Amino acid sequence: MMLSDLEMKFRFGAEDDQKVVILSTCLFPTNYRIYNPSFMPQTARRLSLNSIFIFILISLPATLYGQFLEEFEEGSKSSYGTGSIEFSSGSWILSDALLGSDSRDRFNGSQSVRIRDGFIEMEFDYPEGASVISFSGANSGFSGDTGGTARILYSTDEGESWTALDEPVTLTEGSSLQRYELFVEINSPVRFRIEKVEGNRINIDDIEIEPFTELSDSPSFSLRSNSDEITENQKIVFPAVQTDQASALEFRISNEGKEVLEVISAEVGNSGSFTITGNIPGQLESRESAFFSIQFQAPDHGNYTDELIFRTNDPEKPSFTVTLESFSVDDDVLIPIGQARELPFGIRVKVAGIVSVANEFEGPSFIQDEKSGIAIFHQPFSEDVTRGDSVHVQGPVTEFNPIDGPEGEFLVQIASQGSGSPVLFDIISQNEEPQPEIVSLSDVNSGEYESRLVRLNNVTFVEDGVFRGDQNVSVSDATGFGIIRIDNSVSELVGGIIPEEPTDLTGVVDKFNGDYQIKPRDSEDLMVETIEFGGEDVPRDSTFDVVTWNIEWFGS
C-alpha cells in the first residue's frame, strides 16, 4: 500500500481553536473520555495524513472494541536488552524495553511494556488488515519520566520496510494510562511497531487492531459492545446489581457504508429501568462512529427486560432491535445457590441450603441445595453449624483467592467484605445430611459440581506411601485423572496408608487455581489403614516423626 492510500480518522472533528473537556460520571468512576463540547458523543471525520488528529481515552481499565488484543499479561522480561517474547497473540520484539510490574509502572492487569529508548514490534502479521490501531500509554512513574512521545509504524511486507503514521503521539502527563486510537485503512496483512522517540521511560499496554472492512455502497448501520458485533434481535445481558445500585454498558454505532447514515431515532422501551445516556448524533458519515451508554437500575428485586430500537436509512435494516436484560438483587429475598454463583463478586445475596461440611476443614464450610453448592467462609458459621443443618445465609459473593491469581479460577464463596458487608446466618432446622451424588472424575473436572458433595467409585491412587496433611494426591478412573486434597485438619486421614487397590471415596469439590479438588471430610469418606507405632499413646505434636522429617527435607 502506498502512503497516499492511507487515510486516518479522528473520533470528533474539533477545530484547533475548539476546547475539549473531560467528563466523568458516577456510572464510570474509572472510565473517562475526552469530548468535544460542541456535540456528543464524539464522531469521526476523514482527515488527510497532513492533518492527523489522535483521540485520547483516559481509561482504567481501557474499553476495547477490536478483534485483536494484546494485553502483555503472559511472558516475562526483566532486562532492557533486545529479545523476542511470546505473548498470547504471538511473538513480539522488545528492544530496550522490558515488562514492568513495579508500583511506578502504569499498567492494566499485572504488567505492561516499559520502553526506555527502544520499541516493541510484532513479529507476525495480523491477516485481517486494519481500520483502527489503538493502545494504552503513559509516562512511567519513575523519577524524571516526563515528555514521552511514541511513534506508530506499520509494515505490509512482513517487516522489510516500515511507514510511520505521521507525527508521534505525545503522551499526556498523569499517573494513569490513557487510551489512544488512530484510524487507518489498510486492506492487507499488517504488523505494527510502537517506538519511543522523545522523553524518558514510557509504558505501553493493551494494543488492539480492529480489522479492515469493505464499505457498502449504501449507508450501513453497525452496533458493537466491547469487541463484539451485535446482531439484530440479539439479547444483551447487563451485569446484575443490588436494588440501590446501577450498572451500565457502553455501545458504539458506526456507518460502514459510503453514504451518510441518517439516525432517525434511538430509544428504549417503557420499563424505565434501562435508559440511554449521552447524545446520539443524527448523522454519521462514512466510517464515522459514535459512543453512547445504557444504564440499568431498578428499585425492586427481579429480572428485567426491555428493547433498544434504532431506526435509520440503512436499506438492509431500517429498524434494528436488540433485547436488554438484567437482574436486580435484593439481599433480603432468597435466591437459588446456582443463581447466586453467577452474580458479579461483591453482590450481596441470600441463599438457603443444607450443610454438607461444618468445621471439618476449620473453614470454609459448605452448603448445597437441590442443584448447586457454595462455600461459606465465616468462622462463627463454621463453629455453630453441624452437618444436616438447614440454614439461610446472607452476604456478598466473593472468591477465595489467596495467591492473587486470575479471577474466576478459585472457589466461589460467601464471605464478609468488612463491617459494611458482613455475613449473617440463621439455622432454621436440623435435617438429614445431604447424600453425595455419584459422579466420575470427568464430571468433577467439568466444574459442574463445585462445592457439592460427591462420591466416586473405583478410583485408583496414582501415588503410594502415606497421606500427609495439606497434600494433593493424583487419582484416576475410567474417565480421566483428578486430585484428592487431604486437608491437614482431617487428622483421621493424615498418616494413613494410600490405598493400593481401587477404592470408593466421598468428598466436597473445592477449586484452587483452576484445579478441582475432592476433599474427604473424615475416615468414613475415605477408608484408610493407619500405621501403628509403639508410643502412639503420646500425642503426635509431642513426638518426632522420622518419616515425615525425611519427606519434608529430602522430598522422598
Side-chain angles (χ1 to χ4, degrees), residues 83-114:
S84 294
I85 306 298
E86 194 71 28
F87 296 105
S88 61
S89 62
S91 180
W92 292 65
I93 297 174
L94 275 63
S95 178
D96 203 23
L98 53 77
L99 291 168
S101 58
D102 188 277
S103 61
R104 292 162 291 186
D105 284 302
R106 318 301 191 194
F107 50 83
N108 295 321
S110 61
Q111 63 183 10
S112 65
V113 177
R114 186 200 309 159

PDB file of all heavy atoms in Angstrom, residues 83-114:
ATOM      1  N   GLY A  83      15.057  -8.690  22.811  1.00  0.00           N
ATOM      2  CA  GLY A  83      14.669 -10.094  22.865  1.00  0.00           C
ATOM      3  C   GLY A  83      13.288 -10.310  22.314  1.00  0.00           C
ATOM      4  O   GLY A  83      12.475  -9.387  22.238  1.00  0.00           O
ATOM      5  N   SER A  84      13.023 -11.544  21.865  1.00  0.00           N
ATOM      6  CA  SER A  84      11.703 -11.931  21.376  1.00  0.00           C
ATOM      7  C   SER A  84      10.952 -12.608  22.515  1.00  0.00           C
ATOM      8  O   SER A  84      11.463 -13.560  23.109  1.00  0.00           O
ATOM      9  CB  SER A  84      11.820 -12.880  20.184  1.00  0.00           C
ATOM     10  OG  SER A  84      12.403 -12.236  19.073  1.00  0.00           O
ATOM     11  N   ILE A  85       9.731 -12.124  22.771  1.00  0.00           N
ATOM     12  CA  ILE A  85       8.918 -12.653  23.854  1.00  0.00           C
ATOM     13  C   ILE A  85       7.607 -13.165  23.271  1.00  0.00           C
ATOM     14  O   ILE A  85       6.978 -12.504  22.452  1.00  0.00           O
ATOM     15  CB  ILE A  85       8.636 -11.579  24.926  1.00  0.00           C
ATOM     16  CG1 ILE A  85       9.952 -10.958  25.429  1.00  0.00           C
ATOM     17  CG2 ILE A  85       7.831 -12.171  26.071  1.00  0.00           C
ATOM     18  CD1 ILE A  85      10.876 -11.937  26.102  1.00  0.00           C
ATOM     19  N   GLU A  86       7.221 -14.346  23.716  1.00  0.00           N
ATOM     20  CA  GLU A  86       5.967 -14.937  23.255  1.00  0.00           C
ATOM     21  C   GLU A  86       4.829 -14.483  24.155  1.00  0.00           C
ATOM     22  O   GLU A  86       4.849 -14.704  25.361  1.00  0.00           O
ATOM     23  CB  GLU A  86       6.071 -16.462  23.273  1.00  0.00           C
ATOM     24  CG  GLU A  86       4.965 -17.169  22.512  1.00  0.00           C
ATOM     25  CD  GLU A  86       5.074 -17.014  21.012  1.00  0.00           C
ATOM     26  OE1 GLU A  86       6.209 -16.846  20.514  1.00  0.00           O
ATOM     27  OE2 GLU A  86       4.023 -17.067  20.341  1.00  0.00           O
ATOM     28  N   PHE A  87       3.830 -13.841  23.547  1.00  0.00           N
ATOM     29  CA  PHE A  87       2.630 -13.422  24.260  1.00  0.00           C
ATOM     30  C   PHE A  87       1.438 -14.198  23.717  1.00  0.00           C
ATOM     31  O   PHE A  87       1.590 -15.047  22.832  1.00  0.00           O
ATOM     32  CB  PHE A  87       2.424 -11.911  24.114  1.00  0.00           C
ATOM     33  CG  PHE A  87       3.500 -11.083  24.743  1.00  0.00           C
ATOM     34  CD1 PHE A  87       4.457 -10.446  23.956  1.00  0.00           C
ATOM     35  CD2 PHE A  87       3.579 -10.937  26.117  1.00  0.00           C
ATOM     36  CE1 PHE A  87       5.453  -9.678  24.531  1.00  0.00           C
ATOM     37  CE2 PHE A  87       4.575 -10.181  26.702  1.00  0.00           C
ATOM     38  CZ  PHE A  87       5.516  -9.544  25.906  1.00  0.00           C
ATOM     39  N   SER A  88       0.251 -13.901  24.225  1.00  0.00           N
ATOM     40  CA  SER A  88      -0.932 -14.641  23.800  1.00  0.00           C
ATOM     41  C   SER A  88      -1.217 -14.470  22.312  1.00  0.00           C
ATOM     42  O   SER A  88      -1.746 -15.372  21.664  1.00  0.00           O
ATOM     43  CB  SER A  88      -2.149 -14.204  24.615  1.00  0.00           C
ATOM     44  OG  SER A  88      -2.404 -12.820  24.428  1.00  0.00           O
ATOM     45  N   SER A  89      -0.864 -13.303  21.733  1.00  0.00           N
ATOM     46  CA  SER A  89      -1.134 -13.047  20.321  1.00  0.00           C
ATOM     47  C   SER A  89      -0.044 -13.570  19.405  1.00  0.00           C
ATOM     48  O   SER A  89      -0.269 -13.748  18.205  1.00  0.00           O
ATOM     49  CB  SER A  89      -1.312 -11.541  20.092  1.00  0.00           C
ATOM     50  OG  SER A  89      -0.110 -10.843  20.427  1.00  0.00           O
ATOM     51  N   GLY A  90       1.150 -13.788  19.929  1.00  0.00           N
ATOM     52  CA  GLY A  90       2.280 -14.205  19.112  1.00  0.00           C
ATOM     53  C   GLY A  90       3.577 -13.634  19.659  1.00  0.00           C
ATOM     54  O   GLY A  90       3.637 -13.123  20.780  1.00  0.00           O
ATOM     55  N   SER A  91       4.629 -13.690  18.862  1.00  0.00           N
ATOM     56  CA  SER A  91       5.954 -13.248  19.287  1.00  0.00           C
ATOM     57  C   SER A  91       6.154 -11.765  18.973  1.00  0.00           C
ATOM     58  O   SER A  91       5.844 -11.304  17.872  1.00  0.00           O
ATOM     59  CB  SER A  91       7.034 -14.079  18.584  1.00  0.00           C
ATOM     60  OG  SER A  91       8.322 -13.662  18.988  1.00  0.00           O
ATOM     61  N   TRP A  92       6.665 -11.025  19.957  1.00  0.00           N
ATOM     62  CA  TRP A  92       6.968  -9.603  19.817  1.00  0.00           C
ATOM     63  C   TRP A  92       8.428  -9.360  20.148  1.00  0.00           C
ATOM     64  O   TRP A  92       8.992  -9.990  21.047  1.00  0.00           O
ATOM     65  CB  TRP A  92       6.115  -8.777  20.777  1.00  0.00           C
ATOM     66  CG  TRP A  92       4.649  -8.752  20.485  1.00  0.00           C
ATOM     67  CD1 TRP A  92       3.782  -9.802  20.525  1.00  0.00           C
ATOM     68  CD2 TRP A  92       3.874  -7.608  20.110  1.00  0.00           C
ATOM     69  NE1 TRP A  92       2.516  -9.390  20.206  1.00  0.00           N
ATOM     70  CE2 TRP A  92       2.537  -8.047  19.952  1.00  0.00           C
ATOM     71  CE3 TRP A  92       4.177  -6.255  19.906  1.00  0.00           C
ATOM     72  CZ2 TRP A  92       1.506  -7.176  19.599  1.00  0.00           C
ATOM     73  CZ3 TRP A  92       3.156  -5.397  19.561  1.00  0.00           C
ATOM     74  CH2 TRP A  92       1.834  -5.852  19.400  1.00  0.00           C
ATOM     75  N   ILE A  93       9.047  -8.415  19.421  1.00  0.00           N
ATOM     76  CA  ILE A  93      10.396  -7.957  19.751  1.00  0.00           C
ATOM     77  C   ILE A  93      10.284  -6.825  20.752  1.00  0.00           C
ATOM     78  O   ILE A  93       9.548  -5.856  20.542  1.00  0.00           O
ATOM     79  CB  ILE A  93      11.153  -7.484  18.503  1.00  0.00           C
ATOM     80  CG1 ILE A  93      11.351  -8.630  17.510  1.00  0.00           C
ATOM     81  CG2 ILE A  93      12.503  -6.885  18.878  1.00  0.00           C
ATOM     82  CD1 ILE A  93      11.967  -8.205  16.199  1.00  0.00           C
ATOM     83  N   LEU A  94      11.014  -6.921  21.858  1.00  0.00           N
ATOM     84  CA  LEU A  94      11.142  -5.833  22.822  1.00  0.00           C
ATOM     85  C   LEU A  94      12.596  -5.386  22.801  1.00  0.00           C
ATOM     86  O   LEU A  94      13.492  -6.125  23.207  1.00  0.00           O
ATOM     87  CB  LEU A  94      10.744  -6.280  24.230  1.00  0.00           C
ATOM     88  CG  LEU A  94       9.249  -6.221  24.592  1.00  0.00           C
ATOM     89  CD1 LEU A  94       8.428  -7.148  23.721  1.00  0.00           C
ATOM     90  CD2 LEU A  94       9.035  -6.547  26.068  1.00  0.00           C
ATOM     91  N   SER A  95      12.824  -4.170  22.285  1.00  0.00           N
ATOM     92  CA  SER A  95      14.173  -3.630  22.165  1.00  0.00           C
ATOM     93  C   SER A  95      14.332  -2.443  23.111  1.00  0.00           C
ATOM     94  O   SER A  95      13.562  -1.476  23.028  1.00  0.00           O
ATOM     95  CB  SER A  95      14.441  -3.184  20.725  1.00  0.00           C
ATOM     96  OG  SER A  95      15.729  -2.614  20.597  1.00  0.00           O
ATOM     97  N   ASP A  96      15.326  -2.517  23.985  1.00  0.00           N
ATOM     98  CA  ASP A  96      15.495  -1.534  25.052  1.00  0.00           C
ATOM     99  C   ASP A  96      14.170  -1.355  25.790  1.00  0.00           C
ATOM    100  O   ASP A  96      13.737  -0.235  26.085  1.00  0.00           O
ATOM    101  CB  ASP A  96      15.988  -0.197  24.510  1.00  0.00           C
ATOM    102  CG  ASP A  96      16.705   0.630  25.581  1.00  0.00           C
ATOM    103  OD1 ASP A  96      17.190   0.037  26.561  1.00  0.00           O
ATOM    104  OD2 ASP A  96      16.758   1.866  25.450  1.00  0.00           O
ATOM    105  N   ALA A  97      13.546  -2.468  26.067  1.00  0.00           N
ATOM    106  CA  ALA A  97      12.229  -2.475  26.705  1.00  0.00           C
ATOM    107  C   ALA A  97      12.106  -3.747  27.533  1.00  0.00           C
ATOM    108  O   ALA A  97      12.736  -4.766  27.243  1.00  0.00           O
ATOM    109  CB  ALA A  97      11.118  -2.419  25.655  1.00  0.00           C
ATOM    110  N   LEU A  98      11.297  -3.689  28.565  1.00  0.00           N
ATOM    111  CA  LEU A  98      11.057  -4.836  29.434  1.00  0.00           C
ATOM    112  C   LEU A  98       9.593  -4.863  29.847  1.00  0.00           C
ATOM    113  O   LEU A  98       8.808  -3.980  29.494  1.00  0.00           O
ATOM    114  CB  LEU A  98      11.973  -4.805  30.656  1.00  0.00           C
ATOM    115  CG  LEU A  98      11.999  -3.526  31.520  1.00  0.00           C
ATOM    116  CD1 LEU A  98      10.793  -3.412  32.429  1.00  0.00           C
ATOM    117  CD2 LEU A  98      13.274  -3.483  32.360  1.00  0.00           C
ATOM    118  N   LEU A  99       9.222  -5.892  30.585  1.00  0.00           N
ATOM    119  CA  LEU A  99       7.869  -5.994  31.124  1.00  0.00           C
ATOM    120  C   LEU A  99       7.900  -5.520  32.570  1.00  0.00           C
ATOM    121  O   LEU A  99       8.548  -6.127  33.423  1.00  0.00           O
ATOM    122  CB  LEU A  99       7.364  -7.430  31.022  1.00  0.00           C
ATOM    123  CG  LEU A  99       7.112  -7.900  29.593  1.00  0.00           C
ATOM    124  CD1 LEU A  99       6.906  -9.406  29.543  1.00  0.00           C
ATOM    125  CD2 LEU A  99       5.907  -7.185  29.000  1.00  0.00           C
ATOM    126  N   GLY A 100       7.219  -4.418  32.816  1.00  0.00           N
ATOM    127  CA  GLY A 100       7.285  -3.781  34.121  1.00  0.00           C
ATOM    128  C   GLY A 100       6.045  -3.998  34.950  1.00  0.00           C
ATOM    129  O   GLY A 100       4.921  -3.839  34.465  1.00  0.00           O
ATOM    130  N   SER A 101       6.247  -4.361  36.205  1.00  0.00           N
ATOM    131  CA  SER A 101       5.145  -4.520  37.151  1.00  0.00           C
ATOM    132  C   SER A 101       5.431  -3.777  38.454  1.00  0.00           C
ATOM    133  O   SER A 101       4.798  -4.033  39.476  1.00  0.00           O
ATOM    134  CB  SER A 101       4.913  -6.005  37.442  1.00  0.00           C
ATOM    135  OG  SER A 101       6.093  -6.615  37.950  1.00  0.00           O
ATOM    136  N   ASP A 102       6.409  -2.871  38.410  1.00  0.00           N
ATOM    137  CA  ASP A 102       6.728  -2.049  39.573  1.00  0.00           C
ATOM    138  C   ASP A 102       5.547  -1.127  39.889  1.00  0.00           C
ATOM    139  O   ASP A 102       4.745  -0.798  39.012  1.00  0.00           O
ATOM    140  CB  ASP A 102       7.986  -1.220  39.270  1.00  0.00           C
ATOM    141  CG  ASP A 102       8.512  -0.488  40.495  1.00  0.00           C
ATOM    142  OD1 ASP A 102       7.987   0.604  40.789  1.00  0.00           O
ATOM    143  OD2 ASP A 102       9.441  -0.991  41.139  1.00  0.00           O
ATOM    144  N   SER A 103       5.425  -0.733  41.133  1.00  0.00           N
ATOM    145  CA  SER A 103       4.330   0.167  41.514  1.00  0.00           C
ATOM    146  C   SER A 103       4.391   1.488  40.768  1.00  0.00           C
ATOM    147  O   SER A 103       3.385   2.198  40.655  1.00  0.00           O
ATOM    148  CB  SER A 103       4.368   0.430  43.027  1.00  0.00           C
ATOM    149  OG  SER A 103       5.590   1.053  43.399  1.00  0.00           O
ATOM    150  N   ARG A 104       5.562   1.815  40.206  1.00  0.00           N
ATOM    151  CA  ARG A 104       5.693   3.066  39.452  1.00  0.00           C
ATOM    152  C   ARG A 104       5.432   2.875  37.960  1.00  0.00           C
ATOM    153  O   ARG A 104       5.382   3.851  37.214  1.00  0.00           O
ATOM    154  CB  ARG A 104       7.080   3.668  39.687  1.00  0.00           C
ATOM    155  CG  ARG A 104       7.282   4.174  41.110  1.00  0.00           C
ATOM    156  CD  ARG A 104       8.753   4.346  41.445  1.00  0.00           C
ATOM    157  NE  ARG A 104       9.430   3.050  41.544  1.00  0.00           N
ATOM    158  CZ  ARG A 104      10.690   2.900  41.928  1.00  0.00           C
ATOM    159  NH1 ARG A 104      11.420   3.977  42.235  1.00  0.00           N
ATOM    160  NH2 ARG A 104      11.234   1.700  42.003  1.00  0.00           N
ATOM    161  N   ASP A 105       5.270   1.622  37.525  1.00  0.00           N
ATOM    162  CA  ASP A 105       4.835   1.370  36.155  1.00  0.00           C
ATOM    163  C   ASP A 105       3.340   1.639  36.050  1.00  0.00           C
ATOM    164  O   ASP A 105       2.591   1.538  37.031  1.00  0.00           O
ATOM    165  CB  ASP A 105       5.130  -0.077  35.752  1.00  0.00           C
ATOM    166  CG  ASP A 105       6.592  -0.326  35.454  1.00  0.00           C
ATOM    167  OD1 ASP A 105       7.125   0.356  34.560  1.00  0.00           O
ATOM    168  OD2 ASP A 105       7.192  -1.184  36.127  1.00  0.00           O
ATOM    169  N   ARG A 106       2.898   1.962  34.839  1.00  0.00           N
ATOM    170  CA  ARG A 106       1.474   2.142  34.580  1.00  0.00           C
ATOM    171  C   ARG A 106       0.994   0.922  33.797  1.00  0.00           C
ATOM    172  O   ARG A 106       1.531   0.630  32.722  1.00  0.00           O
ATOM    173  CB  ARG A 106       1.216   3.409  33.764  1.00  0.00           C
ATOM    174  CG  ARG A 106       2.023   4.630  34.178  1.00  0.00           C
ATOM    175  CD  ARG A 106       1.805   5.046  35.603  1.00  0.00           C
ATOM    176  NE  ARG A 106       2.401   6.352  35.867  1.00  0.00           N
ATOM    177  CZ  ARG A 106       2.601   6.850  37.064  1.00  0.00           C
ATOM    178  NH1 ARG A 106       2.257   6.151  38.139  1.00  0.00           N
ATOM    179  NH2 ARG A 106       3.132   8.054  37.220  1.00  0.00           N
ATOM    180  N   PHE A 107       0.004   0.215  34.313  1.00  0.00           N
ATOM    181  CA  PHE A 107      -0.458  -0.983  33.622  1.00  0.00           C
ATOM    182  C   PHE A 107      -1.893  -1.302  34.021  1.00  0.00           C
ATOM    183  O   PHE A 107      -2.372  -0.922  35.089  1.00  0.00           O
ATOM    184  CB  PHE A 107       0.440  -2.190  33.917  1.00  0.00           C
ATOM    185  CG  PHE A 107       0.721  -2.429  35.375  1.00  0.00           C
ATOM    186  CD1 PHE A 107      -0.180  -3.119  36.167  1.00  0.00           C
ATOM    187  CD2 PHE A 107       1.889  -1.971  35.957  1.00  0.00           C
ATOM    188  CE1 PHE A 107       0.075  -3.345  37.508  1.00  0.00           C
ATOM    189  CE2 PHE A 107       2.166  -2.173  37.299  1.00  0.00           C
ATOM    190  CZ  PHE A 107       1.255  -2.873  38.084  1.00  0.00           C
ATOM    191  N   ASN A 108      -2.583  -2.003  33.109  1.00  0.00           N
ATOM    192  CA  ASN A 108      -3.850  -2.650  33.405  1.00  0.00           C
ATOM    193  C   ASN A 108      -3.553  -4.121  33.612  1.00  0.00           C
ATOM    194  O   ASN A 108      -2.821  -4.726  32.835  1.00  0.00           O
ATOM    195  CB  ASN A 108      -4.846  -2.469  32.255  1.00  0.00           C
ATOM    196  CG  ASN A 108      -5.242  -1.016  32.069  1.00  0.00           C
ATOM    197  OD1 ASN A 108      -5.418  -0.280  33.029  1.00  0.00           O
ATOM    198  ND2 ASN A 108      -5.392  -0.593  30.813  1.00  0.00           N
ATOM    199  N   GLY A 109      -4.137  -4.733  34.618  1.00  0.00           N
ATOM    200  CA  GLY A 109      -3.811  -6.120  34.909  1.00  0.00           C
ATOM    201  C   GLY A 109      -2.615  -6.198  35.820  1.00  0.00           C
ATOM    202  O   GLY A 109      -2.574  -5.558  36.875  1.00  0.00           O
ATOM    203  N   SER A 110      -1.599  -6.957  35.410  1.00  0.00           N
ATOM    204  CA  SER A 110      -0.447  -7.184  36.287  1.00  0.00           C
ATOM    205  C   SER A 110       0.857  -6.603  35.762  1.00  0.00           C
ATOM    206  O   SER A 110       1.817  -6.483  36.514  1.00  0.00           O
ATOM    207  CB  SER A 110      -0.263  -8.695  36.519  1.00  0.00           C
ATOM    208  OG  SER A 110      -0.010  -9.366  35.296  1.00  0.00           O
ATOM    209  N   GLN A 111       0.933  -6.219  34.461  1.00  0.00           N
ATOM    210  CA  GLN A 111       2.175  -5.675  33.932  1.00  0.00           C
ATOM    211  C   GLN A 111       1.920  -5.025  32.580  1.00  0.00           C
ATOM    212  O   GLN A 111       0.867  -5.188  31.979  1.00  0.00           O
ATOM    213  CB  GLN A 111       3.239  -6.767  33.780  1.00  0.00           C
ATOM    214  CG  GLN A 111       2.879  -7.855  32.788  1.00  0.00           C
ATOM    215  CD  GLN A 111       3.925  -8.965  32.704  1.00  0.00           C
ATOM    216  OE1 GLN A 111       4.846  -9.056  33.507  1.00  0.00           O
ATOM    217  NE2 GLN A 111       3.779  -9.820  31.713  1.00  0.00           N
ATOM    218  N   SER A 112       2.908  -4.250  32.125  1.00  0.00           N
ATOM    219  CA  SER A 112       2.862  -3.639  30.799  1.00  0.00           C
ATOM    220  C   SER A 112       4.284  -3.551  30.280  1.00  0.00           C
ATOM    221  O   SER A 112       5.244  -3.874  30.991  1.00  0.00           O
ATOM    222  CB  SER A 112       2.217  -2.244  30.859  1.00  0.00           C
ATOM    223  OG  SER A 112       3.016  -1.357  31.632  1.00  0.00           O
ATOM    224  N   VAL A 113       4.433  -3.096  29.039  1.00  0.00           N
ATOM    225  CA  VAL A 113       5.760  -2.909  28.465  1.00  0.00           C
ATOM    226  C   VAL A 113       6.303  -1.545  28.914  1.00  0.00           C
ATOM    227  O   VAL A 113       5.615  -0.531  28.807  1.00  0.00           O
ATOM    228  CB  VAL A 113       5.719  -2.980  26.931  1.00  0.00           C
ATOM    229  CG1 VAL A 113       7.110  -2.709  26.353  1.00  0.00           C
ATOM    230  CG2 VAL A 113       5.209  -4.347  26.480  1.00  0.00           C
ATOM    231  N   ARG A 114       7.526  -1.538  29.422  1.00  0.00           N
ATOM    232  CA  ARG A 114       8.218  -0.286  29.747  1.00  0.00           C
ATOM    233  C   ARG A 114       9.338  -0.094  28.711  1.00  0.00           C
ATOM    234  O   ARG A 114      10.227  -0.935  28.587  1.00  0.00           O
ATOM    235  CB  ARG A 114       8.812  -0.313  31.144  1.00  0.00           C
ATOM    236  CG  ARG A 114       9.417   1.039  31.573  1.00  0.00           C
ATOM    237  CD  ARG A 114      10.408   0.862  32.725  1.00  0.00           C
ATOM    238  NE  ARG A 114       9.851   0.093  33.825  1.00  0.00           N
ATOM    239  CZ  ARG A 114      10.593  -0.528  34.733  1.00  0.00           C
ATOM    240  NH1 ARG A 114      11.933  -0.496  34.654  1.00  0.00           N
ATOM    241  NH2 ARG A 114      10.032  -1.218  35.715  1.00  0.00           N
TER     242      ARG A 114
END
